[in-house]
Amino acid sequence: MNKAELIDAVAEATELSRADAEKTTNAVLDSIIDALSKGDQVSLVGFGTFSVRERAARTGRNPQT
């Protein structure tokens, strides 16, 4: 499912117009992004937990050599 399909599903489930469903979906996603950028953890019960982690860089390889 991509973002457009998610918006369509929200519009159908809530009986909102597609424009209102898009505004709502964008607001939710922006709120999650803002919280993660501040270093907070976002927990949605029954869906998942989102957090930002620092990872070590990996060594890239050139397949031609």
Side-chain angles (χ1 to χ4, degrees):
M1 175 180 276
N2 60 27
K3 188 174 178 182
E5 293 170 340
L6 177 63
I7 291 169
D8 290 337
V10 170
E12 184 177 327
T14 60
E15 298 179 1
L16 292 173
S17 68
R18 189 177 190 289
D20 289 339
E22 184 174 4
K23 288 178 188 177
T24 304
T25 303
N26 286 337
V28 169
L29 294 176
D30 289 342
S31 297
I32 292 172
I33 291 169
D34 289 342
L36 292 175
S37 67
K38 292 178 186 175
D40 294 339
Q41 181 176 331
V42 178
S43 295
L44 302 174
V45 177
F47 182 72
T49 301
F50 301 94
S51 63
V52 177
R53 293 187 195 170
E54 292 294 324
R55 293 174 43 174
R58 68 179 191 93
T59 304
R61 296 185 186 170
N62 186 347
Q64 294 180 348
T65 59

